[in-house]
Amino acid sequence: LKQHGQYFELGAEIIQSAEPKLVQLLETSGNCLVPTAGQSFFWYQNKLTPQDELQNQPGIDQFLNELQGIEDYQGKDISLAKYFFGKKYFNADMHDVLETYAGEFGTSAHRLGIKSLLKEEDTWSNLAKNYYSHHPMQNSCEHFFNDVQSFVKLNTRIIRIDSIQGQLILTDQTGHQHESDIALLSVPLGVLKANDIVFHPALPVEKINAIRKLGVDHGIKIVMRFSKRWWPQDMLVAKGGHLCPEYLASLTYTKPTLVGFIMGKKALALKGKSAAELATLLSKELDSLFKH
């Protein structure tokens, strides 16, 4: 999105665990990538504290360490919230920090299954770096899309896919049919849930069941620009806010900017609020977090 000569990312703000090949591709398209830097600050016991200063503090240090070492879990499949709510050291101050972690997966802690989380962690690479992009990510998409643009048919909605003797026939909303050897689907989950595409023969039962079970939670991203940077110079992110669990000190923009990420039930609680109302609410929370 472009406003007042400035581009704003509507989706992810940081390119996480970017492998060298991905970095090379992005830079080839003209993107200027800068490694993220700075500390994570946590709102805990009415104080915003750098993570390294929380070491050896009873409870919170154990909580953060266990959160990072959760891949060793061997129990039954329960939600992340239920797992930590059963810990004697877990308190109300840690709950919003836990929601920050769950928010990275686009949901709330009570909806994040621990077994699914472990599968995700198994595929996660901690060897690659995280980056900001000083250019819109759309630039990269357009750069590579230009090479295939002549082969792409836009504004054409496929409503049926038939497989007949190894040949695929795709029918669009006008009734026109397109033949293909291969079809790669990347449609939103909601399209599959609503059966907006008819498959013949039908999809395998295990895929249908997976589509029914999977969901996309509510989410809000709000960008707040300020005349000057008033938060700590070494702060990358502030975690643990009650309304907004995560405030990212983004370096993507020309003016000092904080980007708030609100996911799951916290986002649902704010559904329907205008941008001005959200800005007022989060400004009050920021005053509370940083007044000390």
Side-chain angles (χ1 to χ4, degrees):
L1 176 67
K2 184 178 182 181
Q3 289 185 349
H4 309 296
Q6 173 72 65
Y7 287 93
F8 297 91
E9 295 289 354
L10 298 181
E13 197 73 24
I14 290 179
I15 305 167
Q16 290 189 317
S17 289
E19 299 290 345
K21 288 185 179 179
L22 174 59
V23 172
Q24 185 179 8
L25 283 172
L26 292 171
E27 291 180 337
T28 298
S29 65
N31 275 39
C32 177
L33 300 181
V34 179
T36 59
Q39 289 203 67
S40 294
F41 282 64
F42 289 85
W43 177 250
Y44 183 67
Q45 294 185 342
N46 296 319
K47 185 179 180 182
L48 197 63
T49 306
Q51 183 173 355
D52 57 7
E53 293 183 17
L54 291 175
Q55 294 180 355
N56 300 321
Q57 287 194 25
I60 184 65
D61 184 40
Q62 185 177 356
F63 165 63
L64 293 175
N65 287 335
E66 190 162 359
L67 193 58
Q68 296 301 318
I70 204 166
E71 64 269 11
D72 297 327
Y73 178 75
Q74 298 293 329
K76 62 180 182 179
D77 194 12
I78 57 176
S79 72
L80 189 66
K82 188 173 182 179
Y83 172 79
F84 278 103
F85 286 178
K87 303 292 182 180
K88 292 183 178 180
Y89 65 77
F90 192 82
N91 57 43
D93 287 340
M94 298 175 192
H95 184 266
D96 289 321
V97 176
L98 183 63
E99 289 301 331
T100 302
Y101 183 79
E104 294 180 0
F105 297 90
T107 188
S108 301
H110 74 287
R111 288 182 175 174
L112 184 58
I114 197 166
K115 291 290 188 180
S116 297
L117 176 61
L118 294 179
K119 290 181 181 179
E120 172 69 16
E121 292 289 356
D122 284 341
T123 64
W124 190 257
S125 171
N126 293 321
L127 300 178
K129 294 181 179 180
N130 297 335
Y131 292 89
Y132 288 110
S133 173
H134 278 292
H135 296 87
M137 291 300 297
Q138 184 176 342
N139 287 4
S140 296
C141 296
E142 292 176 347
H143 174 83
F144 295 109
F145 180 70
N146 287 337
D147 294 335
V148 297
Q149 190 169 6
S150 61
F151 303 101
V152 176
K153 189 174 181 62
L154 299 174
N155 302 315
T156 305
R157 182 167 63 91
I158 299 300
I159 61 172
R160 182 183 177 94
I161 300 178
D162 290 271
S163 177
I164 302 175
Q165 296 180 348
Q167 187 73 13
L168 297 177
I169 300 176
L170 291 74
T171 306
D172 65 31
Q173 78 273 25
T174 68
H176 185 74
Q177 294 184 333
H178 312 263
E179 294 186 5
S180 175
D181 295 325
I182 299 174
L184 175 64
L185 272 70
S186 59
V187 298
L189 181 61
V191 171
L192 298 177
K193 282 181 172 292
N195 295 317
D196 287 341
I197 301 177
V198 175
F199 296 91
H200 186 268
L203 293 175
V205 173
E206 60 269 19
K207 289 190 180 296
I208 295 175
N209 290 336
I211 290 169
R212 289 172 179 169
K213 290 180 180 179
L214 289 172
V216 179
D217 218 330
H218 292 78
I220 296 174
K221 176 181 179 180
I222 185 165
V223 181
M224 297 165 283
R225 302 175 70 189
F226 302 91
S227 59
K228 63 179 182 180
R229 179 169 178 144
W230 43 263
W231 50 91
Q233 290 296 321
D234 62 338
M235 189 188 89
L236 172 64
V237 62
K239 300 182 177 184
H242 182 66
L243 287 175
C244 177
E246 180 173 341
Y247 293 95
L248 175 69
S250 179
L251 298 177
T252 303
Y253 307 112
T254 54
K255 291 185 177 181
T257 303
L258 289 178
V259 181
F261 294 94
I262 312 171
M263 305 302 299
K265 64 180 182 181
K266 289 183 178 291
L268 182 60
L270 297 173
K271 185 180 180 181
K273 301 272 185 200
S274 67
E277 290 172 320
L278 286 172
T280 299
L281 289 170
L282 298 191
S283 293
K284 289 181 179 179
E285 178 164 82
L286 286 170
D287 284 341
S288 176
L289 296 181
F290 288 90
K291 68 180 180 180
H292 300 288

